Amino acid sequence: MKSRSLFVLSGATVALLLVGLFVVMQSRPAVAEKDQCSDAVTNLYSKCGLVLSAGGGDLSSFKDAVQFCRNESDVDTRNCWVVDCALKIPDCGAMANCIDGCFGDETRCGFTMQFIYETCSIHLIDPDNHNTVTQETATAACVAGTGSLAPLFECFTACAYNDYQHCPDMLNCINDCYAGKVPDDDVVTTDDDQTGDNGASAAEGQKLKDVGGSACGM
């Protein structure tokens, strides 16, 4: 009887060990992905100068973004934007586009306006009243998909993602997006010297130049 009890106990112990080993092996990929969070956020925040807007808010600090990544319950989404995008794609525009796909386009508006306003110091202009639009207003309108700029946001994204390294090209591209929806310089309420013929304008005091003094900060 004692021998039988000992056999049962030994079998139960082995079973528990096997279950524990299985759990540890299953958790290793998730732990590995969490350990990559810091490197991924470094590429996104430090190299590309972008801030992640996901989970209902802006993760404005490096620490907040790393913590969001480590706490993210959706392992597939984390693996997508961390491993497949931020760690594998060196081009910032392509990286942003990849991350957009991981978050179902939730990040697109934030990244687009960061490239336009912060990387290249370009201000968008409202086609209705011809006034410059703040980054916050443009981002909110993009997220909502409303307002006079709504039909242009997809075009703005293409300009931002393709030309983030060369701001004069981005400015020309954005002006082409307006396609005559904004009057010429003499009607737009901004400085002629810093305004594109169709709408976008360089930030005050920062004319777009080539590398070596560029508003792109390159």
Side-chain angles (χ1 to χ4, degrees):
M1 190 72 179
K2 289 182 179 179
S3 177
R4 183 178 178 183
S5 298
L6 183 61
F7 177 78
V8 172
L9 180 61
S10 299
T13 301
V14 171
L16 287 173
L17 288 173
L18 289 174
V19 170
L21 181 61
F22 176 78
V23 170
V24 169
M25 292 180 67
Q26 289 295 104
S27 67
R28 281 178 180 173
V31 171
E33 288 162 11
K34 286 187 177 183
D35 290 341
Q36 294 170 320
C37 287
S38 180
D39 290 339
V41 174
T42 295
N43 288 344
L44 184 63
Y45 279 56
S46 300
K47 176 188 173 185
C48 295
L50 296 174
V51 171
L52 189 66
S53 296
D58 288 338
L59 302 167
S60 56
S61 74
F62 181 94
K63 181 179 179 181
D64 288 343
V66 172
Q67 196 64 36
F68 167 80
C69 175
R70 290 184 177 277
N71 293 338
E72 197 168 7
S73 59
D74 189 335
V75 176
D76 289 337
T77 300
R78 183 175 68 229
N79 185 66
C80 181
W81 76 268
V82 170
V83 179
D84 295 339
C85 301
L87 294 179
K88 285 186 179 179
I89 303 176
D91 180 87
C92 295
M95 183 194 299
N97 186 57
C98 179
I99 293 174
D100 291 344
C102 298
F103 286 100
D105 245 16
E106 180 183 357
T107 56
R108 180 179 62 86
C109 292
F111 287 159
T112 296
M113 298 310 160
Q114 286 165 43
F115 275 136
I116 292 174
Y117 283 83
E118 297 173 19
T119 303
C120 284
S121 298
I122 296 171
H123 287 174
L124 300 178
I125 291 178
D126 189 320
D128 287 345
N129 57 32
H130 316 141
N131 293 328
T132 56
V133 180
T134 66
Q135 180 177 348
E136 293 74 16
T137 299
T139 304
C142 178
V143 171
T146 59
S148 56
L149 289 173
L152 309 179
F153 287 127
E154 184 176 349
C155 185
F156 292 159
T157 296
C159 296
Y161 287 12
N162 290 333
D163 296 321
Y164 72 93
Q165 295 184 89
H166 198 234
C167 297
D169 287 348
M170 187 192 296
L171 180 61
N172 291 334
C173 180
I174 290 174
N175 283 331
D176 288 342
C177 292
Y178 282 92
K181 292 183 174 62
V182 173
D184 293 334
D185 286 350
D186 57 343
V187 182
V188 176
T189 57
T190 51
D191 185 349
D192 287 349
D193 291 336
Q194 299 184 47
T195 305
D197 289 339
N198 291 319
S201 66
E204 183 176 352
Q206 294 190 48
K207 294 185 179 180
L208 298 175
K209 300 177 182 178
D210 289 331
V211 175
S214 167
C216 299
M218 301 297 293

